[in-house]
Amino acid sequence: MADTIIKDWFLVCLEYENNIVAQVLWGLVVKDNKGRWQPEDYVCTSKVIEHLADGIFLTKNSRYECSGKGRVVTLEAEAIFELRSGISPEEYLTLKGLKERGFQAD
């Protein structure tokens, strides 16, 4: 049984110097059996330790069930700070692209 079920999820591969150093899950909570989050809260997990089955992932303290089709994305390791603040991987990539084109937020 999963501790947390998420949807609209990403498996984020964190890269440093062209090497994948960790993977985390980012998604929206459907149900959290440990009472940590409410439905529709975002979650950015700790390091994924094991991919147990299709859509089932294990971190140090939790088992996550990923509902629906997810996406795999590779980001630089420092993206973890934005992901943990609630920025989705998709939003992160959009903001990064804008910055590379010279746009800056005030």
Side-chain angles (χ1 to χ4, degrees):
M1 180 172 154
D3 296 311
T4 306
I5 301 169
I6 62 174
K7 65 179 183 176
D8 301 332
W9 61 278
F10 294 83
L11 176 62
V12 182
C13 302
L14 298 170
E15 183 178 65
Y16 180 73
E17 296 183 354
N18 296 317
N19 294 305
I20 302 299
V21 294
Q23 292 180 320
V24 297
L25 292 171
W26 193 101
L28 299 178
V29 174
V30 173
K31 183 177 181 184
D32 179 49
N33 293 317
K34 289 186 172 183
R36 299 166 293 184
W37 301 289
Q38 297 299 312
E40 299 299 322
D41 283 352
Y42 79 90
V43 64
C44 180
T45 70
S46 58
K47 182 179 177 179
V48 171
I49 295 173
E50 190 175 350
H51 184 183
L52 298 172
D54 192 29
I56 307 292
F57 295 87
L58 183 66
T59 64
K60 182 177 180 183
N61 294 310
S62 298
R63 183 183 303 239
Y64 290 86
E65 178 183 326
C66 300
S67 177
K69 186 172 172 71
R71 293 173 271 180
V72 178
V73 64
T74 300
L75 302 176
E76 55 274 3
E78 59 266 15
I80 192 67
F81 299 109
E82 283 85 358
L83 298 176
R84 292 230 167 112
S85 73
I87 301 291
S88 75
E90 198 168 54
E91 291 169 323
Y92 178 85
L93 289 169
T94 298
L95 292 170
K96 180 180 174 187
L98 289 171
K99 287 178 188 176
E100 289 171 353
R101 289 176 178 79
F103 292 95
Q104 295 188 13
D106 292 330

